[in-house]
Amino acid sequence: MMRKPIIAGNWKMNKGMKEAEELASGIVEGLQGEEEREVVLCPPFTALQRIGEICLDSPILLGAQNLFYEAKGAYTGEISASQLVDLGCRYVIVGHSERRQYFGETDQVINKKLRAAISAGLFPILCVGEKEEEREAGKEKEIVGHQLREGLRGISEEEAKDIVIAYEPVWAIGTGKTALPSDAQGMHLFIRELLREIYNSRLAQDTRIQYGGSVKPDNIDELMAEPDIDGALVGGASLEVDSFIRIVKLRTPL
Ligand code: PEP
């Protein structure tokens, strides 16, 4: 199976309703008929319903930035997987480094969130990535390997087929620093080999692995030219119509 590249925009805690509408409308207009790449917009919860409406008759899919793993009940302020499905979400980001860092999400919590997302029919984008000091200590593969093994613990092959992985080195997120395409490629290959070890070669070959960390119009092409980079999770550059469209559009190979 060919892996269709997937570009997702993570808007984080940005955009009021009017700005969100303008951004999504501009993207929908600019990407009419886009077929080469799967495109996902992940606005804040407050704009999901409206952005879902704007994307309705377009190839663009809706994603959420987070979910809670319980199905329902007394969890003030939380949102369940089925509530996201009701809003039209197809994807959900799980275990973003900002969730791990500021909200104390552990690999165990992330594992529960993955299961909840998959059983509700959502496609999770599982984020993994090392911090700067971990890379400096030469531990990046150990860290990412641990996050993957623990995040995927007990998840069957059938369930794991729905997961997209995003490799996001924490030192590259929002910093303007990007991993060298060859370094990112090395980590993507490592992740694919680990998937082969945990599951099998078919699943490893079919799983899409996005790169994330200061992806911009001027570095996307060299990243996408690497054989194991199957797309991007984009923060800052997804907040403007032109830069996001430029990142999505397929260009002549380098
Ligand atoms: C992200 O938050 O997933 C991200 C990669 O952000 P940025 O593109 O701004 O570095």
Side-chain angles (χ1 to χ4, degrees), residues 10 12 96 98 168 172-175 212-216 233-237:
N10 173 12
K12 309 190 184 184
H96 191 279
E98 287 151 17
E168 300 206 299
I173 297 181
T175 57
S214 300
V215 170
K216 306 278 181 238
L233 181 53
V234 187

Side-chain angles (χ1 to χ4, degrees), residues 36-157:
E36 305 291 335
R37 293 176 174 183
E38 197 166 342
V39 181
V40 184
L41 299 185
C42 304
F45 288 134
T46 47
L48 278 173
Q49 179 157 19
R50 182 69 193 113
I51 302 310
E53 287 164 6
I54 292 172
C55 295
L56 206 56
D57 290 314
S58 83
I60 295 167
L61 301 172
L62 192 65
Q65 299 172 18
N66 183 29
L67 80 165
F68 189 53
Y69 52 75
E70 294 291 350
K72 61 177 177 179
Y75 303 103
T76 303
E78 295 297 318
I79 307 225
S80 72
S82 68
Q83 288 172 328
L84 295 178
V85 171
D86 279 351
L87 288 168
C89 288
R90 304 292 303 281
Y91 283 87
V92 60
I93 299 171
V94 176
H96 191 279
S97 64
E98 287 151 17
R99 303 280 334 156
R100 294 178 191 257
Q101 189 178 343
Y102 304 133
F103 303 96
E105 284 193 17
T106 60
D107 291 317
Q108 288 66 39
V109 165
I110 289 162
N111 178 265
K112 288 187 187 175
K113 291 188 172 194
L114 283 176
R115 292 163 188 266
I118 296 165
S119 49
L122 290 166
F123 299 113
I125 298 177
L126 167 62
C127 302
V128 295
E130 82 284 359
K131 298 189 185 126
E132 187 152 38
E133 61 270 23
E134 293 163 342
R135 176 163 282 261
E136 277 163 6
K139 290 190 170 162
E140 65 274 15
K141 290 198 169 131
E142 191 185 313
I143 296 292
V144 168
H146 184 81
Q147 290 172 339
L148 267 178
R149 283 186 191 282
E150 293 305 314
L152 295 172
R153 187 173 287 279
I155 291 182
S156 70
E157 181 197 343

Side-chain angles (χ1 to χ4, degrees), residues 7-12 14-15 23-24 26-27 31 39-42 96 98 168 172-176 178 211-220 223 232-249:
I7 311 283
N10 173 12
W11 297 4
K12 309 190 184 184
N14 293 297
K15 305 289 179 191
L23 177 56
I27 291 170
L31 293 178
V39 181
V40 184
L41 299 185
C42 304
H96 191 279
E98 287 151 17
E168 300 206 299
I173 297 181
T175 57
T178 323
Y211 168 79
S214 300
V215 170
K216 306 278 181 238
D218 63 7
N219 59 26
I220 182 71
L223 288 161
L233 181 53
V234 187
S238 74
L239 296 174
E240 282 180 22
V241 174
D242 290 350
S243 59
F244 189 66
I245 288 177
R246 171 65 183 83
I247 287 170
V248 171
K249 287 249 182 218

